[in-house]
Amino acid sequence: MAPDTLSPAVTTARPARAARARTWAWYGGLACTALTAGQQVLLIAGGGGLLPGWQPWPLLLLAAPLLWWGRGRRRAPAARHERLRAVAARVPGRAALALVLAMAVAVWAALQNHEPWIGHEESVYANKARSWADPSTPAAGWGPYRPPGLPLLGSLALRVHADVGALRAVGLLLVLATLTLGYAIAARWTTPRRAALAMLLVLGGLGFLRRMPAFLNDTGSTGLLLVTVFILVRTVENPGPSRALLALPPVVLAAFYLRFGVVGNLCAIALAALLAYGPRAWLAHGRRLAAAGAVILLGLTPHFVYATQVTGWPLGLITWATSQAERSFMGDGLLYYLAIFPYRLAGDLGAVVMFAGLAATVRAARALRAARREHGAPAGPAGPVGPAGPAVRDRRILFLGATAVLVPVLLGFATDGEPRFIYLSVILLTVLGVDALATLADGVARPVLAAVTALALLAVPATAQVVAHGAMPGPMSQHRSTVPVARALAAAGGAPCLLVTGYEPESGWYSGCDAMTYRQYRALDGPPSGTRVSFIRYERGRLQPSAAGVERLVGGRPSEKRRIPTEGVLGTATVVTVG
C-alpha cells in the first residue's frame, strides 16, 4: 500500500468519530437549553438569589453553536409535537401581539412597586412637565439643551392626575406604541407571527425591560425611527413614484422634538440607505426627497432660532447636549457598546437571535456582491433581478443590518454609551434574526421558532425578576437617602426655596423647590435674594464640597444647621440653611 493511501478502516473511522462528536454536541446543546429554561423558572419562582447577582448564566451562547454543529442529528418531531405546532400556527399574529402588549402592561405594573421613586433622568423631565402644568413650580435640573416633547406629554398627564404614576403611564403608552409599530412594520417584512415573536424577544431583553417602567423618551423616539426606516424602504422598493416620503417630515420632526439624540440615529439611517441602495436609487426620488427635506428644515426653524438665541448658532443646542456626555474620551461609548453587545442588551436568547440577524446581513451583502459580479451591474430595485426579486430583499436586509451596526458606531463616538440609546439596533437585528432562524432551520423552522417562543415567554417574567431584584435595589437605596431629605426641606406656604446638592433633579421633584449643583451655584453672580437656600451634604454623597467648603459658600450669613438621618446608602445628610 502506498504511504499516502489511507486504509478503509481509517476512512470509515473519521466520519464515525465526526458523527459521534455531532451527536454529543447536539445533546450538549439540548442540555444547555434545558438548563436555561430551568434558570428562567427558578428566577420566576423567586429563587434568583441562588444565582450570582440574580443574573442567569448565559448558557444559550454555548447551546446555539453546539446545536448548529450537531443539527444533522435532529430527529423527526413526534406527532404530538406536530399537533401542538399546528395549533400554534393557527394563532393570529394580532392575537400574539395582544399577548405581548398584555405582558408589557403586567411587567410595567409589577415593576412600579420595586421602583416607586423616580430617578435622576426621569425627574429632569418630570420637573419641566410639572412647571408647565403648574407655573408656580420650578423646573429643577432642566437645561435648554433638552427636548420639549416628553415634558409636553407629561404636563398633559399631570393635568389629569398630579402624580408619578401619571407620568409613568405616559412612558407605558410610548412603550406600547413602539411595540405595536415594531410589529406592524416587521409584519410587512416577514410574517405576523414572526413579527410578534420579535417584539416578545425585545420585551424580554434586559436593556429594554430595565428602562421600560420609567418616564423617558428613548422608547418613544425608537418607534418613530422605525417608522422612518419603514418609509425609506417603502419608497425605494416601490417601482414607480412613491408618496411615502410625504409622511417622512412629521415623523422625523416628532422624533427630533421628542429626543434630540435621534440626530445620530438619523445620520446612521441615511448613511446605511446610501450604502445599501446606492445614490442612483435615491436620485430617482430626488424631487420628493428635496421637498421632504425642505419641510423638515422648515419644521426645525423654531429650534434653530431658539438655539441661536441661547448659544449663538443654530446647532448650539445639539452640541451642548452632546457635551453633557459623561465620557472619558471620544469613542469610549463605542467601547461600552462592544463590551455589552449583544448579551447585556438582550440577554442570551436575544443575543443568539441578534447574532443570527448579523449573519443574515453578511449573507445578504455576499449575495448582492455575487449578483453584481454575475450581471456586471448593481443588483437592486431597478437592477437585473427585478423589482420583486431576491435582490430587493437582500438590499433591505443589508439596509436594516447596516443601520443596526452604524447606530452604535456613530453614537459611540458622539456621546457616552447607554443601552437605551441603541434600541433601534436591538429591534432591527431581532427582526432580522427571527426571520434568519426560520430560513436557516430549513425544514424544521416551526419547531425552532416554537422553542424560541417558549424560551421568550419564560424570559419576560424572568428578566423582570432580574430587574426588580438585581438592578433596581441600588438606585432605590440611594433614593432612600435623597427622598426623605427632599421631603423634609419641602417648600412651605409658596415661599421660594433652593436646594444645592449633587442630586438636584430628584431633590427638586420631591421638595417642590428649585435645585442645582454646587458647581452651578458657584457660577451665580450671588445668592438669590428672598430665597431660602439649603446646602445638602451626605456622608457618602457625590459632587459635593467638604464642610469647610459649604461654610465658604454660606459666607458668614445667618444659617441653621441640622442633620437628617436616612436609611439609604448615602447615609446621614447635613443641611445648612440660609434665609
Side-chain angles (χ1 to χ4, degrees), residues 360-459:
T361 302
V362 174
R363 185 178 181 181
R366 290 177 175 176
L368 289 168
R369 180 181 297 179
R372 182 186 181 95
R373 291 174 178 173
E374 179 181 354
H375 296 282
V385 182
V392 174
R393 175 180 170 82
D394 287 337
R395 286 206 178 274
R396 183 199 308 151
I397 292 174
L398 179 59
F399 172 45
L400 301 182
T403 299
V405 172
L406 287 173
V407 165
V409 171
L410 295 185
L411 293 183
F413 280 105
T415 183
D416 57 336
E418 285 230 22
R420 57 194 177 96
F421 294 165
I422 58 171
Y423 284 162
L424 178 64
S425 297
V426 174
I427 294 178
L428 291 179
L429 287 180
T430 302
V431 171
L432 291 177
V434 169
D435 211 37
L437 286 178
T439 303
L440 295 174
D442 299 328
V444 289
R446 284 186 176 179
V448 168
L449 294 183
V452 173
T453 302
L455 289 173
L457 288 171
L458 290 175

Side-chain angles (χ1 to χ4, degrees), residues 3 63 76 88 180 193 213 293 356 368 418 536 570:
T180 303
R193 281 188 294 274
L368 289 168
E418 285 230 22
I536 305 172
L570 301 182

